[in-house]
Every structure is written in structure tokens, then in C-alpha cells.
Amino acid sequence: MRRGEWGHRLDDLYGVSRSGIIRTAELRQWGVSNSAIDARCRPGGPWQRILPGVVMLGNGHPTARQRAVAAIVLSGENAVLTGRAALHEYGYGTSYSGDAHVLIATHRRVQSTGFVLVERTTRLPAPVTRNGLPCAPLPRALLDAARRCRTLDSTRSLIAEVVQRGEVSVAELNSGSGRGAALPRTVLREVSADVHSVSEAEARRLWLRSGLPRMVFNRRIGDVAGQFIAMPDGWIDDVAFAWDIDSLDWHLAPKAYKSTVERRTRMQNHGIIVLPTLPSAIRDDPDRVIADLQSHYQLASSRPRPEVRMLGAPG
């Protein structure tokens, strides 16, 4: 096994590092001199300095995991990973390659540098250990990530991904959505209305412009015996009118599209008036979609209401 000039096996250093990340102070404790560290961290060398006082025992591009470890190593005791870096440790955003966001107490003097975003807070959360790293609880990590989204659609996508897995409740997020969270608050109002995706959020805005009666989103519809029929994207209960945002635009998968067609057929077989709409139409031709909504609502109003109901709804 190869040994460095300090007399230790190189594998020993990897063993005491965290994902190949180690402080220069620890290297010196292992007998690695400053000159040896400098030599190995030269351009083209086997190591690299990725943050002040932090070395990566490799010369490739650091992974998301290595950036997160390096951020915690740099930030020191009681630092907590949050934002997208923490979401990555919870299993979200597996291809994430951005900054590592850490929270520290207000009296600490660590500064943001390189790919590390340091935020001082008087509300330092109790950490949750994920893969050996101290992470903010999932609701806090999600909101910290959402606060840094630049567009409403990117905020929707981020929050919807986590909420749809059922790992965070809207109530938890609402309780934490305070300062600097205008976009997250907008999205949380939509999620509270059972809007589960970017396309559904855009659809909800069109319904609000349409002048039609109350529409609810993502509600389970059944027959009089309580047997499940479908869960359309939008539903006007007074006239049993379903709005179905067509999945073909999004995944083009034969199995998924087959499911969409079968769901729509079940609704029509029970007398439900169904308006299928492509997400691209909502985006590119909203006035026509509004006209379609109004005409299909009139069609639903003109026939006797079929005996279907929202499952779990009163009456």
C-alpha cells in the first residue's frame, strides 16, 4: 500500500476523512507537513483545497455530498445544513450541484465563501442527522430552499415535490413561512387549495378568470355506492363537471396515457362532462381554454346531474 512521505498509508487519511474531505489542521495532526499539503494541492496534483482550511483528497469535481460535508467542516460546531443541500440529503434533487447552505448562530464569525452560503440565525433549529450530517428539519430546509427560488414556477415545483410525498404538511410549512417568503406563501395558498403541480396552478388561475362557480382540485369522485371513479384535476360539483389536464403533454409514456384515457372513459360512462386540456394550451392559449371551460360548464348545466359525488364530502 502506498505511503506518503509522512509515513502513513494514504488509505488511512481517507479513512479519517468524511467523504474524502478533511481539515488541513487534521492533516497536520497526522504528520502531513504544510509543504506536503501544498505540493499535493498544486494544479494537477492529487488533492485540492476546496475551501479555506479544507482539503479534498481527490482532484475531480466535488460531488453534492462532498460540498455539503465541506460546508459543515468549514462552518464548525453546531452548524446545520439547510436549503437544497439538506434536501439532497433527504433524497430530493439527486442531481443538485449548487451552493451548500448552512445555518449558524448569530455570534459565530464564519463567512460565506466559495460554494458555501452561510446564514446567521437566532432560530437555529435542532438538527436531524441525515447520512451523518446535521440537517435542518425537512420543513425548514424546504422553506429555506424555496425562499431562494427566483420564479413562481420553480417554487411550485420544489414545494410540490416534497408535499406530494406526504413527508411535510402544509400546516408545517405555513407555520414557518415568514420573512422573505412571498413566493413560498403564494404556492402554499395554492397547495392548500389542493393544487399539486405547476400546470394545475396555472389551470387554477384560468378558472379564477373564467367567472365559473367554485372549482375544487384533486378530489376523489365516486358513484352513489361510494365506489371510486376518478380524481380529476378540477371539479365543479354542482353540475358534475370534470376538468382533466392531459398527461400526454408531460410524460408521453404509453402506460401513463393509457391510464389517463381509462380514467376519462370511467367518468364519461357515469355521465360526467369532462373537458380534457393540454398543459401547453393553458400556457399558450389561455383565452381559448377559458372559453372551453365556460362552454363545457353550460353543457354540464343543461343535462340532469348524474348520481356521482365527492367521496368524503358532506351529503
Side-chain angles (χ1 to χ4, degrees):
M1 191 70 66
R2 293 188 304 123
R3 293 178 178 269
E5 61 189 66
W6 50 89
H8 294 292
R9 293 186 306 174
L10 295 177
D11 282 358
D12 292 338
L13 293 179
Y14 282 95
V16 297
S17 72
R18 301 171 67 185
S19 300
I21 305 297
I22 191 168
R23 289 179 177 275
T24 54
E26 290 179 84
L27 288 171
R28 288 193 293 269
Q29 289 173 2
W30 273 75
V32 187
S33 66
N34 285 333
S35 60
I37 296 172
D38 289 341
R40 296 186 72 82
C41 291
R42 286 174 184 159
W47 297 351
Q48 57 182 307
R49 298 179 189 270
I50 59 173
L51 292 171
V54 181
V55 168
M56 181 172 123
L57 303 178
N59 56 11
H61 188 73
T63 64
R65 167 73 179 179
Q66 288 173 318
R67 288 194 304 275
V69 170
I72 292 297
V73 168
L74 172 77
S75 303
E77 187 177 0
N78 297 326
V80 177
L81 198 66
T82 192
R84 287 187 182 268
L87 292 180
H88 183 270
E89 299 304 318
Y90 280 102
Y92 296 94
T94 54
S95 61
Y96 176 65
S97 60
D99 290 344
H101 184 182
V102 293
L103 302 172
I104 62 172
T106 52
H107 67 275
R108 300 285 310 286
R109 296 185 179 276
V110 181
Q111 300 291 327
S112 297
T113 183
F115 54 78
V116 180
L117 172 64
V118 176
E119 179 182 346
R120 290 174 179 78
T121 179
T122 57
R123 297 168 43 202
L124 194 65
V128 176
T129 301
R130 299 288 301 184
N131 305 315
L133 292 177
C135 294
L138 186 54
R140 175 68 182 271
L142 176 57
L143 284 172
D144 283 343
R147 288 185 182 107
R148 283 163 176 77
C149 289
R150 296 186 177 183
T151 67
L152 193 56
D153 280 355
S154 63
T155 310
R156 285 181 182 129
S157 296
L158 180 69
I159 291 178
E161 180 185 7
V162 181
V163 170
Q164 284 179 28
R165 283 200 202 175
E167 297 182 359
V168 171
S169 71
V170 176
E172 288 176 298
L173 294 175
N174 276 324
S175 67
S177 61
R179 176 182 56 84
L183 291 180
R185 284 199 300 271
T186 297
V187 173
L188 290 175
R189 285 194 294 269
E190 294 173 348
V191 174
S192 296
D194 290 320
V195 175
H196 292 165
S197 70
V198 172
S199 61
E200 288 175 24
E202 293 171 344
R204 182 173 183 267
R205 288 205 304 272
L206 290 192
W207 162 69
L208 289 171
R209 287 175 51 194
S210 72
L212 294 179
R214 177 174 178 260
M215 178 178 286
V216 294
F217 294 83
N218 295 293
R219 299 297 178 87
R220 291 167 53 86
I221 308 304
D223 60 21
V224 288
Q227 295 297 311
F228 175 74
I229 298 172
M231 187 169 73
D233 297 298
W235 177 257
I236 298 181
D237 192 59
D238 288 349
V239 296
F241 168 41
W243 191 12
D244 219 23
I245 311 302
D246 201 317
S247 63
L248 178 61
D249 240 25
W250 287 114
H251 26 104
L252 293 172
K255 186 178 295 185
Y257 188 58
K258 179 175 181 288
S259 175
T260 297
V261 172
E262 290 174 347
R263 181 180 71 250
R264 190 168 299 152
T265 299
R266 287 197 306 273
M267 288 191 284
Q268 291 170 335
N269 286 344
H270 282 83
I272 296 169
I273 298 297
V274 183
L275 170 63
T277 302
L278 291 172
S280 58
I282 294 173
R283 182 179 63 249
D284 300 333
D285 199 357
D287 290 340
R288 181 177 66 78
V289 174
I290 289 174
D292 288 342
L293 281 169
Q294 293 168 337
S295 64
H296 279 68
Y297 174 77
Q298 292 301 322
L299 177 62
S301 302
S302 68
R303 58 61 164 122
R305 188 188 184 284
E307 294 186 342
V308 295
R309 62 188 179 90
M310 290 190 289
L311 297 180

